Amino acid sequence: MNFFLIAVIVLGIVGLIAAVILYGVSKKFAVNEDARIAKVTEALPGANCGGCGFPGCSGFANACVKAADSGSIEGFACPVGGEEVMNKVAGILGMQASAVDRKVAVVRCNGTCDNRPHVVTYDGSMTCANLHACGAGETECGYGCLGCGDCVKACTMDAISINSTTGLPEVDFDKCGGCGSCAKACPRGIIEIRKRGPKDRRIWVDCVSKDKGPVAKKACSAACIGCNLCVKECKFEAITVANNVAHIDEDKCRLCRSCVKVCPSKAIHEINFPAPRIAAPLETTTVNVIPQPINNKEDNA
């Protein structure tokens, strides 16, 4: 028999045996994926940001299906899609979606180039992580924004950019989904994820410096000095001062803005509030007085 033919027959038999074995293994260890997982994944925005606490949208979809089988998806939320997406997910799973507060990233630093001048020049790998590892950075504040843009690179929605004038990151609130990727990327923890608030109105303290008042003020003219005036002014006990810096509890805050008025450093930031009404000047009326003749009694006499 031809040697070539023998080789082909042997290889064919080996291939057939391997195919039978693989078929048997695939049947024995087959994992049947719930069709709802694919439907839920399709309903999600596909950002794969991890803001939901799961590894990507597919991981979140899988967890939602398992939770639905247990009877409730309460507590599950997609920070990017918000209530609209969660209503779709709930509809697919035959559940009732709970109300979700949409969130957004805020930058808790107002250390602009004017407020926080540079005192040294860093010459190295321009990342916030590397600059932070070297010490205080290019300014005297060891807590403020480093301005290298690690948050910009981490954002999957193109919602953050560095302002070339201030040197600080700016959040496009229309694009931001509050996933928290930027907050995780910031080595100094100056980015906080907060509720969007009613009518998109928010108040927060634009500083995270833990230095005492005089030291913080020397490093940055806009720094919180921990004076407690805002704490005393707040009637809702929404503000606390810890480690020389104030923080506003968004759940207790009633957006009255009393704290904004009393802050001596203007470190409390407010957004999307209507401008205060300016009283119109009082109208003055000019009265023309016509002199009357004087009745002199002596002349009449």
Side-chain angles (χ1 to χ4, degrees):
M1 186 179 290
N2 191 313
F3 178 78
F4 179 76
L5 184 59
I6 295 174
V8 171
I9 294 173
V10 171
L11 289 175
I13 295 172
V14 171
L16 181 61
I17 295 172
V20 172
I21 294 174
L22 289 175
Y23 177 78
V25 171
S26 65
K27 288 296 183 180
K28 183 175 179 61
F29 298 101
V31 177
N32 296 320
E33 184 177 276
D34 195 320
R36 295 174 298 172
I37 296 177
K39 293 181 180 179
V40 172
T41 303
E42 187 178 351
L44 296 173
N48 293 314
C49 59
C52 57
F54 297 94
C57 292
S58 60
F60 179 68
N62 192 23
C64 285
V65 171
K66 289 182 179 179
D69 290 339
S70 300
S72 174
I73 59 171
E74 185 176 355
F76 285 80
C78 174
V80 178
E83 187 174 356
E84 181 181 354
V85 167
M86 287 310 299
N87 285 334
K88 291 181 181 179
V89 171
I92 294 170
L93 300 176
M95 309 293 292
Q96 185 70 34
S98 56
V100 178
D101 290 320
R102 293 201 66 182
K103 296 192 175 183
V104 72
V106 297
V107 180
R108 291 191 57 194
C109 178
N110 195 26
T112 63
C113 299
D114 294 332
N115 294 336
R116 186 176 48 132
H118 288 196
V119 294
V120 297
T121 300
Y122 171 74
D123 185 12
S125 177
M126 294 303 293
T127 68
C128 297
N130 290 342
L131 185 53
H132 176 66
C134 292
E138 296 184 313
T139 70
E140 293 184 356
C141 178
Y143 299 93
C145 176
L146 294 164
C148 296
D150 286 19
C151 53
V152 177
K153 298 172 186 175
C155 181
T156 59
M157 303 169 198
D158 193 28
I160 307 181
S161 59
I162 300 294
N163 187 306
S164 58
T165 302
T166 64
L168 297 175
E170 291 184 345
V171 179
D172 185 335
F173 298 120
D174 292 330
K175 294 181 179 179
C176 179
C179 68
S181 298
C182 55
K184 296 175 185 176
C186 179
R188 291 191 167 175
I190 68 164
I191 300 180
E192 183 179 357
I193 307 301
R194 297 180 69 87
K195 294 178 182 178
R196 281 187 174 269
K199 297 183 180 180
D200 232 14
R201 296 173 182 173
R202 296 176 293 281
I203 297 177
W204 68 88
V205 180
D206 246 351
C207 183
V208 296
S209 175
K210 298 179 182 178
D211 288 331
K212 291 185 178 181
V215 178
K217 196 70 174 178
K218 180 183 177 183
C220 177
S221 60
C224 173
I225 57 176
C227 62
N228 280 282
L229 286 177
C230 54
V231 177
K232 297 175 182 177
E233 184 68 19
C234 183
K235 299 177 181 179
F236 307 103
E237 299 181 350
I239 308 178
T240 54
V241 173
N243 296 320
N244 305 309
V245 63
H247 183 267
I248 299 176
D249 187 333
E250 59 186 347
D251 292 324
K252 294 181 179 180
C253 179
R254 294 296 179 268
L255 304 175
C256 67
R257 296 189 288 172
S258 297
C259 54
V260 178
K261 301 174 184 177
V262 300
C263 179
S265 299
K266 306 301 179 185
I268 301 179
H269 191 86
E270 58 178 332
I271 187 171
N272 293 331
F273 286 89
R277 294 183 179 179
I278 301 175
L282 296 175
E283 295 183 0
T284 56
T285 304
T286 304
V287 179
N288 294 323
V289 180
I290 301 175
Q292 299 293 329
I294 300 175
N295 185 11
N296 195 319
K297 295 181 180 181
E298 295 181 358
D299 293 340
N300 293 335

